Amino acid sequence: MGQVLAVIVGFASGFLVAGGVASVMIGLGILTRFIGISHTARQILWYEDAIFLGAMAGDVVTLFDFKLAGGAWMLVPAGLFIGIFIGGWIMALAEIVDIFPVYSRKLGISQNVSWLVIALAAGKVTGSLLFFFRHLG
């Protein structure tokens, strides 16, 4: 009985967290920015399904201890997709709060701001790789 209650509470909590994440994405304009950049407004129902399925997958991964079918090799594509998602969040949020114009003014960069974005992304990737290889190796 205790495990059934834990599953129910876990799924309910997952739904609440997923709702909060979706609300933040919509409230800050991150989701609309993703849709605008990718020109995929006609697939809005797919976005809703993806958010729901991602929340459910997060619930299952959090609640249950299971092994990936591909073993350690599945960590690479999973990490890649998770990194793309988090990187997209960071870049969209940074764009929304106008961080790039602030950085470029503070650093005195008026041209080639795209190099600033690339440097930030490269630093994020390098830091992540160092963190994971140091803790996994």
Side-chain angles (χ1 to χ4, degrees):
M1 182 67 181
Q3 289 180 339
V4 173
L5 182 61
V7 169
I8 291 170
V9 169
F11 275 113
S13 300
F15 277 121
L16 289 174
V17 169
V21 169
S23 296
V24 167
M25 289 175 77
I26 292 167
L28 291 177
I30 293 171
L31 189 59
T32 54
R33 185 69 179 137
F34 276 148
I35 293 169
I37 289 171
S38 62
H39 305 292
T40 55
R42 286 184 277 170
Q43 286 84 19
I44 190 71
L45 295 177
W46 287 80
Y47 280 98
E48 292 174 0
D49 292 342
I51 291 171
F52 175 76
L53 291 174
M56 293 304 297
D59 282 348
V60 170
V61 168
T62 303
L63 287 175
F64 301 107
D65 186 27
F66 65 93
K67 296 187 187 284
L68 292 174
W73 291 103
M74 285 302 294
L75 290 177
V76 173
L80 180 67
F81 289 129
I82 292 168
I84 290 170
F85 177 73
I86 298 298
W89 259 81
I90 291 169
M91 297 307 285
L93 188 57
E95 185 177 318
I96 288 168
V97 297
D98 293 329
I99 199 164
F100 296 121
V102 172
Y103 271 148
S104 62
R105 272 196 309 270
K106 294 284 184 189
L107 296 173
I109 301 171
S110 60
Q111 297 176 342
N112 299 323
V113 178
S114 61
W115 287 104
L116 176 65
V117 174
I118 291 169
L120 289 170
K124 173 75 173 139
V125 168
T126 303
S128 297
L129 289 174
L130 287 173
F131 173 80
F132 287 116
F133 284 129
R134 189 176 59 193
H135 289 343
L136 295 176

